[in-house]
Amino acid sequence: MDLRLKLFISTFLLSMVFSETRGPGTIKKQFIGPFNPANQEFVVPGAGGISNGALQVTPDSGGKDYHGLFNQSGRVLFKDSFKLHDKGARVASFNTSFFINIQKLSITSGHGEGHGEGMAFMIAPDLGLPPGSQGQYLGLTNVTTDGNATNRLVAIEFDTFKQDFDPDDNHIGLNINSVKSKKNVSLSDRGIHIQLVPEGAKNFTIWIQYDGGNKTLQVFMVGEANPLPAGRRPNDPVMIADLDIAKYVSERSYFGFAASTGSAIELHCVLGWNLTVENLSEDEGLVIEAKIALGVGVALLLILLAGWWIQRTLYKKYKTANDPTIRGTLQSLPGTPREFRYRDLKVATDNFNEKNKLGQGGFGVVYKGVLSKESLQIAVKRFSRDNVKSKDDFLAELTIINRLRHKHLVKLLGWCYKNGKLLLVYEYMPNGSLDAHIFCGEEKETLRWDLRYQIISGVASALHYVHNEYEQKVVHRDLKASNIMLDSSFNAQLGDFGLARAIENGKTSYAELEGVPGTLGYIAPECLHTGKATRESDIYGFGAVVLEVVCGQRPWTKIGGFCFLVDWVWSLHRDGRILEAVDERLRGEYVAEEAERLLLLGLACSHPNASERPKTQAILQIASGSLPVPYVPPFRPAFVWPSAGAVEENIDSEYTDDLTVTISH
Ligand SMILES: *[C@@H]1O[C@H](CO)[C@@H](O)[C@H](O)[C@H]1NC(C)=O
Ligand SMILES: *[C@@H]1O[C@H](CO)[C@@H](O)[C@H](O)[C@H]1NC(C)=O
Ligand SMILES: *[C@@H]1O[C@H](CO)[C@@H](O)[C@H](O)[C@H]1NC(C)=O
Ligand SMILES: *[C@@H]1O[C@H](CO)[C@@H](O)[C@H](O)[C@H]1NC(C)=O
Ligand SMILES: *[C@@H]1O[C@H](CO)[C@@H](O)[C@H](O)[C@H]1NC(C)=O
Ligand SMILES: *[C@@H]1O[C@H](CO)[C@@H](O)[C@H](O)[C@H]1NC(C)=O
Ligand SMILES: *[C@@H]1O[C@H](CO)[C@@H](O)[C@H](O)[C@H]1NC(C)=O
Ligand SMILES: *[C@@H]1O[C@H](CO)[C@@H](O)[C@H](O)[C@H]1NC(C)=O
Ligand SMILES: *[C@@H]1O[C@H](CO)[C@@H](O)[C@H](O)[C@H]1NC(C)=O
Ligand SMILES: *[C@@H]1O[C@H](CO)[C@@H](O)[C@H](O)[C@H]1NC(C)=O
Ligand SMILES: *[C@@H]1O[C@H](CO)[C@@H](O)[C@H](O)[C@H]1NC(C)=O
């Protein structure tokens, strides 16, 4: 049998094994009570535990000793983390439902009858519990940390004790990094009638539904007066809130429950819990499923993998040599860049371990690595499209970047080609990509103004170099904040030349590029019509980056009634208050004259008419202050296409390359 066919069949069988446990695109966990105290799926920091068949978020009375129940806090968390967002680019949806029981006890510490304090469903950055989180803090925060963005917490509280800041002792609330809710709904309201701590034992089911697409959170509850049979979700939510979890929680976070008691006590029991999270991660999710499919699943998997490995080894023998065209091309490259051994790169990146993944883009995945012999940190890009396209992608990027030498371009260290695997090795950038510093959430310090200015100047000089100074002119085609890397002193290093193409006539037919991922907001309007990348369209992308860096907003942000950042900034310019666009996180610590210069430059580069955009030479001079900012009309001119003036003729059309644009965020 043909080896490839066998391989295909193995893969097919493999996917059958998993199809039983895996829903399309989601990760499902189902925890059905009664819970066994030996259950290893939960981590229980704090005073709670697993007893009487329930997850006891704060201690259970055990029927006798009440003393240990006062002033306690605890959490019960599922032991594995979930990927919830990519720095805001994608946000996972999740649904959860749980069956709980908050039980009143017939004893208080002498302050009369009462119950407290409450519990919460939470998203947490780790599996710990802050000390001092008893009483009003619900196991979420404490007197020092309450309200601090470094908590990275989002929780739905079920609050049974009235504090000064609470509406009553029977409400739910949306808590972000604080026990003071952003939004609250009293359950005693007309039309809801739910008593969180009823007289006598009563179980409740609660559903929380979060949509990462429209960023809406909905909470549903079945109360005593609800006629629905247990287990059926009501149609109307008790609370709806707008919530972008990517702004608050860690990229990978944990789900679970928190609760506390004070001088008033109660029991906080979870009797059953379902959790479905959209699958954003690749390999990590597989790990979770593999654990579920244990026994038969894992055994089968091992057998299949063994078979696959044997076939692969055989297949290698068929392939006597590596593709000679690639090697030939590589050896004819000027300066012949260094060739790395595949084995060394594999060791350096811990076998391309997911945890070393730095990013994805331009047709490959980039991993961090350390060459221990040379104690050198590297970034390794592994090409990931199918074999034929990968070769073209690889050669295109290597040929271009190998010739470019500039202090604001990420430096290529070498390459590796082994058994069809194509890798490029770049200098490692310790401070990551620019977008991570602008859109870092509140936990990280925001990028200082002088550094922002320095970064923009660096990008401008890199762009000027690739467009003009280097003999073989190049268009980058994918200019955006995530492709601008930062070295240890926060100098910009333009990276990811995966889509870059030389625009020299004739010599550039690497491959037809299908589905080139342009990113909305960075693409010049004419590109959507011509499909051609030009130096002018690169400058449009540069303008989008400038506005992004100064305003601290993504180009496609809906803001001030506009769909794109550029339109909003333009309207502020018209109203003579352009400085209001400057990133609030700078708290006014910036140089007004510089900010205005950059904002106007950003607008000028975003001119809908490509031939009106400044050239890189002028951009450099404007950035350095030696040339005044070009005139920016008060209204953003309309984009006209096809125009009587034929825009295409006005732009340097000999320096173009085909670009099929598909839009992605
Ligand atoms: C959550 O539930 C809603 C309504 O049943 C459904 O449309 C959505 O796909 C679910 N989301 C996830 C991540 O399971
Ligand atoms: C969890 O899901 C199962 C199956 O859909 C259902 O029978 C059970 O009632 C759910 N449990 C909770 C707490 O929602
Ligand atoms: C609050 O929690 C933090 C850690 O989360 C801890 O360092 C601090 O000491 C705690 N404060 C109090 C008053 O317990
Ligand atoms: C928030 O916490 C961090 C570290 O835990 C601390 O450095 C910072 O000062 C705190 N911020 C406020 C406003 O308390
Ligand atoms: C809580 O709800 C009450 C009544 O709906 C409202 O007056 C109060 O401002 C809310 N508090 C917060 C923090 O939203
Ligand atoms: C609550 O749920 C537990 C566990 O499923 C069950 O043993 C108990 O009878 C239920 N209580 C009520 C009042 O329904
Ligand atoms: C968001 O999507 C959910 C479905 O996932 C829907 O129920 C809800 O109404 C939507 N909210 C808004 C504000 O569009
Ligand atoms: C709980 O803590 C509060 C405040 O620290 C204290 O006043 C109260 O006496 C404590 N209650 C018990 C029963 O220990
Ligand atoms: C998540 O999705 C990736 C790729 O789509 C897949 O490889 C992985 O197995 C999925 N994980 C789970 C738990 O479904
Ligand atoms: C930037 O990189 C330097 C050198 O590795 C490091 O010391 C510094 O902490 C980094 N800064 C940030 C904000 O990551
Ligand atoms: C674009 O600008 C050029 C040069 O200023 C001008 O000749 C042309 O008419 C303009 N095109 C449109 C459509 O406004």
Side-chain angles (χ1 to χ4, degrees):
M1 199 193 322
D2 177 69
L3 288 168
R4 285 180 209 221
L5 183 61
K6 274 197 200 164
L7 198 91
F8 172 77
I9 291 177
S10 320
T11 320
F12 178 73
L13 282 175
L14 210 135
S15 65
M16 298 240 310
V17 172
F18 282 103
S19 62
E20 283 181 15
T21 52
R22 180 163 63 193
T26 60
I27 303 167
K28 280 200 168 83
K29 308 301 302 178
Q30 204 173 87
F31 308 108
I32 303 168
F35 293 100
N36 188 320
N39 192 311
Q40 300 290 311
E41 288 173 308
F42 300 100
V43 175
V44 188
I50 305 179
S51 61
N52 284 341
L55 306 176
Q56 310 281 351
V57 191
T58 52
D60 185 20
S61 61
K64 35 188 196 300
D65 180 18
Y66 288 116
H67 296 292
L69 304 187
F70 294 96
N71 286 333
Q72 295 291 349
S73 65
R75 288 183 183 176
V76 176
L77 299 152
F78 174 54
K79 66 176 176 39
D80 293 329
S81 64
F82 292 85
K83 179 159 185 148
L84 296 185
H85 62 93
D86 286 329
K87 302 192 178 74
R90 289 181 306 166
V91 180
S93 297
F94 64 84
N95 286 342
T96 186
S97 59
F98 40 90
F99 196 36
I100 61 166
N101 161 356
I102 303 180
Q103 200 177 325
K104 195 169 177 172
L105 296 168
S106 57
I107 186 162
T108 64
S109 65
H111 299 285
E113 280 293 310
H115 51 75
E117 297 266 345
M119 68 186 287
F121 174 78
M122 75 178 309
I123 306 177
D126 54 42
L127 293 168
L129 172 77
S133 55
Q134 71 274 19
Q136 61 175 296
Y137 296 106
L138 299 180
L140 296 173
T141 59
N142 65 28
V143 66
T144 25
T145 64
D146 194 67
N148 194 323
T150 55
N151 291 330
R152 280 176 278 169
L153 293 182
V154 167
I156 306 298
E157 65 168 29
F158 302 91
D159 200 338
T160 64
F161 193 88
K162 181 174 166 18
Q163 301 290 347
D164 303 339
F165 48 82
D166 285 333
D168 60 14
D169 66 354
N170 186 42
H171 65 272
I172 66 172
L174 169 63
N175 293 3
I176 298 174
N177 295 320
S178 167
V179 291
K180 294 179 183 136
S181 306
K182 287 273 181 284
K183 180 160 190 165
N184 67 60
V185 174
S186 168
L187 299 176
S188 309
D189 274 359
R190 307 162 305 282
I192 302 181
H193 296 305
I194 297 174
Q195 192 59 47
L196 282 172
V197 195
E199 295 299 332
K202 168 111 180 41
N203 300 333
F204 290 97
T205 308
I206 291 153
W207 292 258
I208 297 173
Q209 191 174 319
Y210 179 68
D211 189 305
N214 65 17
K215 315 245 183 332
T216 317
L217 178 103
Q218 303 184 73
V219 182
F220 304 82
M221 284 182 80
V222 176
E224 291 147 303
N226 197 307
L228 289 173
R232 274 264 311 281
R233 203 198 80 180
N235 290 327
D236 297 324
V238 288
M239 182 166 85
I240 303 185
D242 290 333
L243 172 69
D244 185 356
I245 53 169
K247 280 192 186 148
Y248 309 108
V249 305
S250 296
E251 248 178 278
R252 294 201 73 90
S253 295
Y254 297 87
F255 285 98
F257 301 89
S260 68
T261 59
S263 292
I265 55 173
E266 64 198 7
L267 304 184
H268 301 106
C269 311
V270 178
L271 307 166
W273 179 23
N274 291 337
L275 177 66
T276 307
V277 184
E278 186 185 339
N279 175 6
L280 286 191
S281 86
E282 277 108 61
D283 304 340
E284 193 70 24
L286 195 64
V287 172
I288 296 172
E289 289 302 337
K291 283 178 189 158
I292 295 176
L294 260 168
V296 179
V298 169
L300 251 169
L301 176 72
L302 288 177
I303 292 165
L304 290 173
L305 278 179
W308 178 70
W309 184 79
I310 290 165
Q311 286 167 3
R312 218 178 53 127
T313 328
L314 284 175
Y315 183 61
K316 262 198 225 165
K317 284 194 181 161
Y318 275 73
K319 283 189 61 172
T320 44
N322 283 321
D323 186 334
T325 59
I326 288 213
R327 225 156 249 292
T329 313
L330 291 173
Q331 274 150 14
S332 70
L333 282 178
T336 320
R338 170 172 171 192
E339 179 174 359
F340 284 86
R341 288 197 307 178
Y342 183 72
R343 208 184 328 148
D344 293 343
L345 297 181
K346 198 169 150 184
V347 171
T349 57
D350 192 9
N351 199 13
F352 301 100
N353 195 320
E354 179 79 6
K355 75 178 195 318
N356 287 328
K357 191 165 150 182
L358 292 172
Q360 191 148 13
F363 308 139
V365 180
V366 183
Y367 298 88
K368 179 184 173 175
V370 181
L371 293 171
S372 46
K373 267 187 239 152
E374 305 162 54
S375 68
L376 179 66
Q377 290 187 311
I378 52 175
V380 181
K381 174 167 176 177
R382 188 158 77 159
F383 285 76
S384 58
R385 290 210 300 178
D386 71 49
N387 212 5
V388 179
K389 288 204 193 81
S390 260
K391 263 181 220 163
D392 296 323
D393 300 339
F394 173 81
L395 282 179
E397 183 166 350
L398 180 57
T399 322
I400 285 182
I401 191 79
N402 181 48
R403 298 179 181 214
L404 299 174
R405 291 279 181 271
H406 187 267
K407 67 175 188 226
H408 290 297
L409 294 180
V410 175
K411 200 161 124 212
L412 178 76
L413 298 178
W415 57 277
C416 169
Y417 175 51
K418 179 88 188 292
N419 295 333
K421 293 190 193 68
L422 297 157
L423 306 152
L424 287 181
V425 181
Y426 284 101
E427 210 173 36
Y428 174 70
M429 290 290 129
N431 281 314
S433 66
L434 174 58
D435 62 334
H437 291 273
I438 303 178
F439 306 105
C440 52
E442 288 157 47
E443 73 274 10
K444 211 153 127 189
E445 209 175 307
T446 191
L447 206 52
R448 289 199 321 262
W449 176 256
D450 58 326
L451 295 175
R452 295 189 195 211
Y453 205 94
Q454 166 188 318
I455 288 164
I456 291 174
S457 303
V459 176
S461 91
L463 200 59
H464 182 63
Y465 170 79
V466 300
H467 278 186
N468 305 286
E469 290 186 354
Y470 171 63
E471 55 182 65
Q472 188 191 26
K473 305 192 186 333
V474 165
V475 281
H476 184 277
R477 311 209 300 187
D478 200 17
L479 210 61
K480 56 184 176 189
S482 57
N483 282 344
I484 295 165
M485 312 305 287
L486 300 172
D487 70 10
S488 55
S489 15
F490 284 94
N491 284 305
Q493 303 267 319
L494 188 51
D496 207 331
F497 278 70
L499 299 187
R501 288 295 178 271
I503 47 186
E504 193 183 60
N505 291 333
K507 287 193 191 166
T508 58
S509 57
Y510 293 113
E512 59 145 32
L513 277 167
E514 62 185 49
V516 169
T519 307
L520 194 62
Y522 295 103
I523 306 175
E526 72 274 8
C527 285
L528 299 172
H529 297 264
T530 62
K532 301 239 188 254
T534 60
R535 294 192 279 199
E536 287 76 9
S537 61
D538 265 1
I539 288 177
Y540 188 92
F542 173 76
V545 170
V546 171
L547 296 180
E548 190 171 8
V549 170
V550 178
C551 307
Q553 305 280 352
R554 305 255 186 211
W556 59 83
T557 305
K558 285 196 177 53
I559 187 165
F562 296 93
C563 287
F564 289 97
L565 178 64
V566 56
D567 294 313
W568 176 65
V569 178
W570 214 302
S571 79
L572 293 175
H573 163 59
R574 179 176 67 235
D575 299 346
R577 41 193 193 112
I578 197 168
L579 286 179
E580 285 176 28
V582 177
D583 193 350
E584 281 174 1
R585 280 168 288 192
L586 287 165
R587 295 173 207 276
E589 286 172 16
Y590 62 91
V591 185
E593 188 214 327
E594 290 178 353
E596 184 169 358
R597 192 187 307 149
L598 289 188
L599 285 166
L600 290 171
L601 174 63
L603 293 181
C605 293
S606 309
H607 201 292
N609 183 343
S611 40
E612 294 279 338
R613 293 172 204 150
K615 305 268 181 283
T616 52
Q617 179 68 43
I619 292 175
L620 275 181
Q621 289 168 329
I622 293 165
S624 69
S626 60
L627 202 70
V629 182
Y631 168 74
V632 177
F635 286 90
R636 190 179 190 204
F639 173 67
V640 184
W641 186 273
S643 69
V647 172
E648 208 176 358
E649 256 82 291
N650 290 320
I651 57 184
D652 47 3
S653 55
E654 80 260 38
Y655 299 130
T656 60
D657 190 25
D658 282 337
L659 171 68
T660 319
V661 182
T662 56
I663 293 172
S664 66
H665 274 234

